[in-house]
């Protein structure tokens, strides 16, 4: 286990009707008179959530300016609009109502307002944010874990580059998580969310750091819980208890606890981000394609860890066969689970052309100058090989 510091400053308010506390909670952290409310579709207006949030804010004397239209794979253009609104209206607090895309947009606006340059500088690594407006979230989609994470991912429409920033500064000051707000999500979004949270855990699980048994087992327990409740949630969308398990798992998967004392990987996310940047495919769907292919490509690097994953997470019996057979059976069972969620596992399943492997690999590795990942370093040529494994022809 390596040295680490762990601090997660996001206050979590979890459970039924907790969205009614949003005004009170903002008042706890700020004396603002108005907030920028960032959201995606008008679904939050149709189902009454917008009115509930606005009513709670008005009780505290807090007005609302709206910034709707957040898309999956959130766009830099909308972030710039939000920055302009905050500056013109002297707004000091941003409230995201939605999933990871809305929350990531809010975080980006937060760091962009006090910065004199272009917010995209942060995502290119040219500058590091030093200040931010306070942000908070009412979470309606369990997936990204952005409600308690240090991450924000953004897509630049000019060239369709998808990049991220990661620092404690941008964690929301609080997040409200009511599982009931996720009841009416389409099954496809639920499936994408389950894949996303699972891969967040696995990016931490596949590590070269030794003597991390505690966090190994925390990761395995979280994965087993998601597997047990994932398909059940699709079959019983109004089952509060099942939904609560999934929603809380999504937060814990990405709040930093599971990576304490270990070096994380994140190669698969970089590979998948280029797919969603290029083709605008949902993030979870890109990961259901990429992650098993990455596993096939790298498993021989540490067969013992992949055997452990197969046995402890997917119940593969050690008597199943030799090391390779056990490792590959664990990967196969994960693919089958993704299929049960009706998630794509190849480019063809997602209706994507297999014609931009070199372009995506070049973007991800900055012209083959910076490899991705830590478990196994993946350069441009290796990434192209993994993309090939993501096709029906290449998949095992």
């Amino acid at each position: 286990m390596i040295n680490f510091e762990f601090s997660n400053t996001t206050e979590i308010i979890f459970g039924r009707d907790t969205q009614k506390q949003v005004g009170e909670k903002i008042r706890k952290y700020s004396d603002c008179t108005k907030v920028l409310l960032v959201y995606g579709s008008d679904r939050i207006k149709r189902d009454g959530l917008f009115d509930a949030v606005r009513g709670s804010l008005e009780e505290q004397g807090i007005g609302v300016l709206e910034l709707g239209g957040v898309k999956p794979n959130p766009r830099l253009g909308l972030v710039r609009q939000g920055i302009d609104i905050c500056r013109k209206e002297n707004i000091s607090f941003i409230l995201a109502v939605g999933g990871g895309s809305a929350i990531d947009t809010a975080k980006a606006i937060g760091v962009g307002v006090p910065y004199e340059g272009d917010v995209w500088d942060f995502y290119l690594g040219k500058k590091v944010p030093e200040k931010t407006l306070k942000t908070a979230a009412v979470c309606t989609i369990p997936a990204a874990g952005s409600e308690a994470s240090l991450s924000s991912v953004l897509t630049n429409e000019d060239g369709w580059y998808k990049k991220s920033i990661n620092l404690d500064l941008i964690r929301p000051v609080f997040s409200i998580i009511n599982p009931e707000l996720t009841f009416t999500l389409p099954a496809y979004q639920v499936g994408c969310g389950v894949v996303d949270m699972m891969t967040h855990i696995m990016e931490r699980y596949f590590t070269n750091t030794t003597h991390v048994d505690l966090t190994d087992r925390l990761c395995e327990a979280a994965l087993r819980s998601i597997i047990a409740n994932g398909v059940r949630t699709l079959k019983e969308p109004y089952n509060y208890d099942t939904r609560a398990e999934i929603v809380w798992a999504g937060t814990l998967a990405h709040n930093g606890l599971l990576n304490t004392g270990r070096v994380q990987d994140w190669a698969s996310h970089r590979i998948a981000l280029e797919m969603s940047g290029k083709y605008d495919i949902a993030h979870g769907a890109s990961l259901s394609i990429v992650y098993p292919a990455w596993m096939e490509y790298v498993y021989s690097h540490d067969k013992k860890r992949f055997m452990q994953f197969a046995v402890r997470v997917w119940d593969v019996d050690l008597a199943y066969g030799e090391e390779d057979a056990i490792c590959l059976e664990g990967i196969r069972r994960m693919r089958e689970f993704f299929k049960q969620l009706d998630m794509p596992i190849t480019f063809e399943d997602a209706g994507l052309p297999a014609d931009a492997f070199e372009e995506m690999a070049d973007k991800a590795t900055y012209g083959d100058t910076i490899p991705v990942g830590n478990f196994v370093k993946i350069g441009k040529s290796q990434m192209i090989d993994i993309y090939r494994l993501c096709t029906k022809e290449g998949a095992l």
Side-chain angles (χ1 to χ4, degrees):
M1 186 182 297
I2 61 173
N3 293 359
F4 68 90
E5 296 181 9
F6 175 70
S7 174
N8 189 308
T9 55
T10 302
E11 179 184 2
I12 300 294
I13 304 97
F14 188 99
R16 293 183 173 94
D17 295 326
T18 47
Q19 68 272 17
K20 297 176 182 178
Q21 301 179 39
V22 65
E24 174 188 344
K25 290 298 179 181
I26 288 180
R27 185 56 67 223
K28 172 182 174 181
Y29 290 99
S30 174
D31 59 358
C32 65
T33 58
K34 52 191 172 182
V35 301
L36 181 67
L37 197 158
V38 178
Y39 63 96
S41 72
D42 284 338
R43 184 173 72 92
I44 68 167
K45 294 186 175 181
R46 293 193 301 270
D47 64 16
L49 177 58
F50 182 88
D51 288 340
V53 168
R54 183 170 59 184
S56 179
L57 294 171
E58 288 175 349
E59 288 177 3
Q60 297 294 326
I62 302 171
V64 173
L65 277 79
E66 298 180 36
L67 182 67
V70 175
K71 298 180 182 296
N73 304 311
R75 309 294 201 261
L76 175 61
L78 193 68
V79 168
R80 288 171 173 156
Q81 290 181 39
I83 291 170
D84 289 341
I85 293 171
C86 288
R87 288 173 177 170
K88 291 175 182 176
E89 299 292 337
N90 197 28
I91 290 174
S92 60
F93 200 104
I94 307 169
L95 175 66
V97 179
S101 295
I103 302 169
D104 283 6
T105 297
K107 291 175 177 178
I109 295 169
V111 294
V113 171
Y115 178 56
E116 293 182 357
D118 183 12
V119 67
W120 189 243
D121 291 344
F122 299 138
Y123 291 81
L124 290 177
K126 293 180 178 179
K127 296 286 184 179
V128 176
E130 297 179 356
K131 298 178 181 179
T132 185
L133 304 190
K134 290 179 180 177
T135 64
V138 177
C139 190
T140 65
I141 302 175
S146 190
E147 64 271 10
S149 81
L150 48 63
S151 301
S152 170
V153 182
L154 208 57
T155 298
N156 188 339
E157 304 96 313
D158 183 8
W160 297 104
Y161 290 90
K162 193 169 184 180
K163 304 295 181 184
S164 65
I165 56 174
N166 300 276
L167 66 164
D168 284 314
L169 176 72
I170 65 173
R171 292 187 196 271
V173 294
F174 73 84
S175 286
I176 288 172
I177 306 172
N178 176 2
E180 291 179 325
L181 300 180
T182 73
F183 280 175
T184 59
L185 283 174
Y188 180 72
Q189 280 192 299
V190 174
C192 285
V194 168
V195 173
D196 196 5
M197 61 184 74
M198 286 181 68
T199 56
H200 283 162
I201 296 169
M202 292 186 291
E203 295 284 21
R204 294 159 163 96
Y205 186 80
F206 290 103
T207 181
N208 294 317
T209 310
T210 57
H211 304 294
V212 286
D213 183 62
L214 174 60
T215 43
D216 272 358
R217 293 183 183 275
L218 290 174
C219 289
E220 292 155 2
L223 286 168
R224 290 182 66 89
S225 180
I226 294 168
I227 293 163
N229 290 287
V231 176
R232 192 180 306 159
T233 297
L234 293 176
K235 294 178 179 178
E236 304 173 25
Y238 293 94
N239 183 324
Y240 179 88
D241 295 324
T242 299
R243 185 75 65 154
E245 299 283 358
I246 288 293
V247 171
W248 187 225
T251 302
L252 292 178
H254 204 33
N255 76 345
L257 176 64
L258 300 182
N259 53 260
T260 49
R262 55 201 297 145
V263 175
Q264 305 168 73
D265 185 58
W266 296 101
S268 296
H269 266 70
R270 285 300 314 140
I271 298 167
L273 284 176
E274 294 305 332
M275 288 174 60
S276 53
K278 173 71 175 176
Y279 300 113
D280 206 23
I281 182 177
H283 182 52
S286 68
L287 286 165
S288 67
I289 296 169
V290 167
Y291 212 92
W294 172 85
M295 296 173 87
E296 287 177 5
Y297 194 78
V298 305
Y299 83 88
S300 60
H301 172 71
D302 189 346
K303 293 181 183 179
K304 291 189 183 301
R305 176 155 290 276
F306 272 87
M307 287 176 64
Q308 176 179 293
F309 174 76
V311 172
R312 293 186 185 176
V313 176
W314 296 104
D315 295 324
V316 179
D317 196 304
L318 282 173
Y320 185 85
E322 300 296 327
E323 286 185 346
D324 291 271
I326 293 171
C327 294
L328 292 172
E329 177 62 12
I331 299 169
R332 189 196 68 79
R333 293 188 187 186
M334 188 176 76
R335 267 207 180 98
E336 288 302 312
F337 177 71
F338 290 168
K339 286 182 182 179
Q340 290 180 53
L341 298 172
D342 203 23
M343 288 288 99
I345 59 169
T346 65
F347 272 75
E348 293 88 344
D349 289 344
L352 301 180
D355 61 358
F357 295 168
E358 184 167 352
E359 176 191 343
M360 293 188 293
D362 193 68
K363 285 181 177 179
T365 61
Y366 294 87
D368 204 20
T369 61
I370 304 175
V372 302
N374 291 301
F375 185 68
V376 174
K377 294 292 184 182
I378 304 295
K380 180 178 175 179
S381 63
Q382 292 84 10
M383 194 175 296
I384 291 171
D385 289 341
I386 292 170
Y387 282 134
R388 290 190 180 118
L389 287 176
C390 294
T391 65
K392 286 189 183 296
E393 182 178 339
L396 293 180

